[in-house]
Amino acid sequence: MEYSFAGKRIVVGITGSIAAFKVAGWVSTLAKEEARVAVVMTESAQKFIAPLTFSALTGEPAYTSMFNQAQSSPMSHIDLAQDASAFLIAPASARTIARLAHGIADDLLSTTVLATRAPVVVCPAMNPKMYLHQATQDNLERLRQFGYHIVDPDSGLMACKDEGQGRLVEWESVQEVLLRCLLKNDLQGERILITAGPTREALDPARFISNRSSGKMGYALARAAYRRGADVVLVSGPTALQCPFGVKRIDVVTAREMYDAVLAEFNNATMLIKSAAVSDFRPAVSFEHKVKKENAGETIEVVRNPDILYEIGRLKRDPEQIVVGFAAESGNLIEEGKIKLQRKNLDLIAVNDITSADSGFEVETNKMILIDAEGSKQLPWASKTDTAHMIFDYICQNLRKTGN
Ligand code: CTP
């Protein structure tokens, strides 16, 4: 799969921290995803975890010294540096961060990092006082200026029983930063506004009108856009999903809240992808207190919500801004899609067939048709993640004409 770690040469630098054991899990995951992983360990790292652990996980000896001829070639720091698709230094101790910040090449890891031109991702892990010390902060700032990617540590209780910021981050975040470094950044410079999930329209504090949207497609789009280098804002209705790493999420509940959020953000966006399933109607009255059945009528009067996408299509002036709609249909997919494309003044619409059990609401997969002014393209049945990438491939190739 083009959008994964498969075939990538990842050099993982392990330094002296109790969190080193966690990185064994990361190395195992990378190896399972068919990355070619090389592990370089500092001397202190080897006091926390044995090189053998990493050799077993990667299938190649862990690199521990500049001068161990039996283990590697005399030029292993140059070979590793040149071969690397990316460097991941985790856990990164205060000492290694200081070495890297000042170009002190006195062990295999610091020498190799100095010799590489591959992207470098640094995950600090240390006692909170050490982390917050001006010396460490200044060193991290220098690394940022070199273009290194720093993944800030988490806060919580440390192994040393101190509490604060210094815990090694979770793999889920690191993976996103690494992928963004490794993948083709064909969405760099784009500010993409994505809407996801359902909206909820309250009848009273206990009841609402909504729909079956889980938000999975919109969240997959947000994650894919971040990985391809975009700045992403996600306007999300209520979902059970975690905000993807690197994405700014604005939570909304009702269609009118989504309308306000989208209109406020649209001017600053280069692209809007409206994958949310907006409730077309809301109850005419929303009661402050729960309605007792004795007092309730037999029908619920509803009023129309604003059509957010229609309004955007009407207001759009900048021809460089791309507006993408979604349509959930249960028949005449292409005809219905074309009508909405024109009526809402869209550049592209992605239509899915919600009558199919493996496409549309709640499920992990989709089978979409993309329609623009030039024609239509049937995408293959695929995971929502792959579908998201196929939508961006299409946009880059056909609307931005930046793809190849
Ligand atoms: N949409 C919107 N605001 C609404 C309703 C829909 O912005 N009040 C957007 C959706 O986010 C989606 C597109 O319009 O991108 C199409 O949504 P859909 O519900 O399929 O279309 P409708 O215009 O509501 O038409 P209908 O439900 O009658 O098929």
Side-chain angles (χ1 to χ4, degrees), residues 145-157:
Q145 282 165 14
F146 297 163
Y148 293 6
H149 306 269
I150 313 298
V151 193
D152 295 333
D154 285 339
S155 295
L157 186 64

Side-chain angles (χ1 to χ4, degrees), residues 3 228 366 370 377 379-383 385-395:
Y3 299 105
R228 293 168 75 147
N366 243 343
L370 302 182
K377 178 177 179 173
L379 298 182
W381 178 76
S383 70
T385 300
D386 289 354
T387 302
H389 281 294
M390 288 189 276
I391 292 171
F392 285 124
D393 287 345
Y394 188 91
I395 291 172

Side-chain angles (χ1 to χ4, degrees), residues 168-397:
L168 184 67
V169 282
E170 296 300 324
W171 169 244
E172 285 66 33
S173 311
V174 180
Q175 148 177 287
E176 295 304 324
V177 178
L178 255 186
L179 281 169
R180 187 167 156 118
C181 289
L182 288 167
L183 300 185
K184 192 167 63 171
N185 274 193
D186 50 4
L187 294 177
Q188 197 167 25
E190 300 278 1
R191 293 181 304 280
I192 306 186
L193 177 60
I194 298 172
T195 69
T199 63
R200 271 184 195 169
E201 315 296 328
L203 275 156
D204 67 21
R207 308 176 178 99
F208 54 79
I209 298 175
S210 191
N211 57 64
R212 290 177 53 207
S213 170
S214 63
K216 284 177 184 163
M217 191 62 234
Y219 278 60
L221 284 159
R223 194 172 291 110
Y226 173 81
R227 288 180 179 179
R228 293 168 75 147
D231 282 341
V232 187
V233 175
L234 178 65
V235 176
S236 176
T239 73
L241 305 173
Q242 254 201 337
C243 181
F245 180 86
V247 168
K248 177 183 159 197
R249 185 168 77 177
I250 301 173
D251 289 316
V252 296
V253 177
T254 66
R256 283 175 298 170
E257 285 172 12
M258 186 172 278
Y259 177 89
D260 290 342
V262 170
L263 262 77
E265 293 289 327
F266 182 65
N267 277 345
N268 190 38
T270 57
M271 203 183 291
L272 166 68
I273 307 189
K274 208 120 196 333
S275 60
V278 185
S279 283
D280 288 315
F281 298 97
R282 66 177 184 276
V285 183
S286 174
F287 294 95
E288 195 186 335
H289 297 286
K290 191 177 166 202
V291 178
K292 297 286 170 194
K293 52 183 167 298
E294 301 80 59
N295 305 336
E298 306 230 315
T299 54
I300 297 169
E301 199 188 328
V302 292
V303 291
R304 254 179 198 276
N305 271 326
D307 188 322
I308 307 166
L309 199 52
Y310 177 82
E311 199 51 29
I312 290 286
R314 207 176 61 79
L315 293 174
K316 181 178 123 117
R317 293 284 174 273
D318 180 355
E320 288 295 306
Q321 274 183 310
I322 292 176
V323 178
V324 182
F326 269 63
E329 300 294 345
S330 55
N332 297 331
L333 272 52
I334 295 187
E335 296 74 49
E336 294 294 340
K338 278 185 180 159
I339 292 168
K340 282 182 190 168
L341 183 81
Q342 279 183 359
R343 180 160 49 88
K344 302 198 185 192
N345 187 26
L346 309 177
D347 298 288
L348 181 71
I349 191 157
V351 187
N352 65 7
D353 180 358
I354 53 164
T355 59
S356 155
D358 50 14
S359 181
F361 292 134
E362 295 164 317
V363 294
E364 299 297 332
T365 49
N366 243 343
K367 190 174 172 191
M368 307 207 90
I369 301 175
L370 302 182
I371 304 169
D372 64 11
E374 308 293 319
S376 65
K377 178 177 179 173
Q378 172 73 63
L379 298 182
W381 178 76
S383 70
K384 287 185 175 171
T385 300
D386 289 354
T387 302
H389 281 294
M390 288 189 276
I391 292 171
F392 285 124
D393 287 345
Y394 188 91
I395 291 172
C396 289
Q397 281 158 16

Side-chain angles (χ1 to χ4, degrees), residues 16-22 48 91 125-130 153-168:
S17 153
I18 180 68
F21 77 92
K22 283 195 188 170
F48 287 95
M126 67 197 75
N127 170 280
K129 292 194 184 71
M130 292 170 70
D154 285 339
S155 295
L157 186 64
M158 310 291 296
C160 60
K161 307 288 182 248
D162 240 356
E163 215 167 335
Q165 192 177 7
R167 288 166 59 91
L168 184 67

